Amino acid sequence: ELRKEFSEIVPALKSQIDATWLMALARVHPKKGQDHLIRMWGALPESSRRKSLLLFVGPETDAGEVKRLREILSHVPDRDRVIFVGSTQTPVRWLQSADVYLGASPRGSLSLARAGRARAALLGRDHVLPDDIQALAAAVLSHRIIVSPAARLRDLSSERIVQEVIHATPVPGGEFLSE
């Protein structure tokens, strides 16, 4: 399996073979958005971070960028679960180990927000509830996710991935107390 091969290359991965690997396969550069990815990592629920690793695979093409990213990372929980793999001679093999090749973009989140507003209006509300987003997420986002052939063979669809993410994401807000 590719994961075992990679754990020989990157010893920090040896004890994490069964974790979910979130992989950013790109050169490390300020315009690639790795800083945003690190901040989003910190915003994930603790239970999700504890079961996952965030891997940055690719060469540093802007001197000092990894140092800048590590500074951002120093303010993020579970920073020990973020690994800078560095340059690799076999980027395609790393990509082949992924279940998802491409996730939803910022346009996808904007579309989800618009769809949520439309659903709220259709239901007679002037505000969007988390229920609106949860109800629409799979329909709006699943076609924006590219799932690997190996994942599809295991019956892992883009719809299921979106549903699992929605299910694992806590709903913001306080508790409702009825009298």
Side-chain angles (χ1 to χ4, degrees):
E1 176 176 305
L2 288 173
R3 285 179 174 229
K4 289 180 184 170
E5 178 183 326
F6 298 147
S7 70
E8 296 300 321
I9 298 167
V10 183
L13 300 178
K14 276 191 181 191
S15 64
Q16 302 296 329
I17 296 263
D18 294 327
T20 299
W21 290 9
L22 307 171
M23 191 180 321
L25 183 63
R27 61 191 170 98
V28 179
H29 188 275
K31 292 185 179 179
K32 290 293 184 179
Q34 283 107 345
D35 53 342
H36 298 297
L37 193 53
I38 288 171
R39 288 183 188 99
M40 287 188 287
W41 169 262
L44 285 173
E46 181 181 357
S47 60
S48 296
R49 287 191 316 266
R50 297 265 181 216
K51 295 185 287 186
S52 306
L53 290 176
L54 176 57
L55 306 175
F56 289 99
V57 181
E60 179 179 17
T61 58
D62 191 274
E65 182 60 9
V66 170
K67 183 178 179 181
R68 185 181 78 84
L69 293 174
R70 287 189 191 280
E71 170 58 29
I72 294 168
L73 188 58
S74 70
H75 304 285
V76 171
D78 294 315
R79 59 187 154 271
D80 59 315
R81 302 195 62 76
V82 177
I83 300 171
F84 290 90
V85 173
S87 187
T88 176
Q89 297 299 315
T90 57
V92 171
R93 295 196 41 83
W94 283 85
L95 185 60
Q96 289 170 338
S97 72
D99 286 336
V100 176
Y101 290 153
L102 183 66
S105 68
R107 276 190 4 211
S109 61
L110 292 173
S111 296
L112 183 57
R114 276 189 226 105
R117 287 193 299 271
R119 183 175 191 265
L122 286 170
L123 295 174
R125 287 186 270 109
D126 63 355
H127 58 281
V128 178
L129 296 174
D131 293 349
D132 297 320
I133 301 302
Q134 290 172 334
L136 297 167
V140 173
L141 299 177
S142 61
H143 74 283
R144 297 173 179 270
I145 295 174
I146 299 174
V147 179
S148 73
R152 286 195 302 266
L153 286 173
R154 295 190 325 268
D155 290 328
L156 184 61
S157 66
S158 58
E159 292 86 3
R160 183 170 154 210
I161 291 169
V162 172
Q163 289 168 347
E164 286 180 9
V165 169
I166 290 297
H167 179 72
T169 304
V171 176
E175 291 190 25
F176 176 76
L177 302 174
S178 63
E179 298 183 82

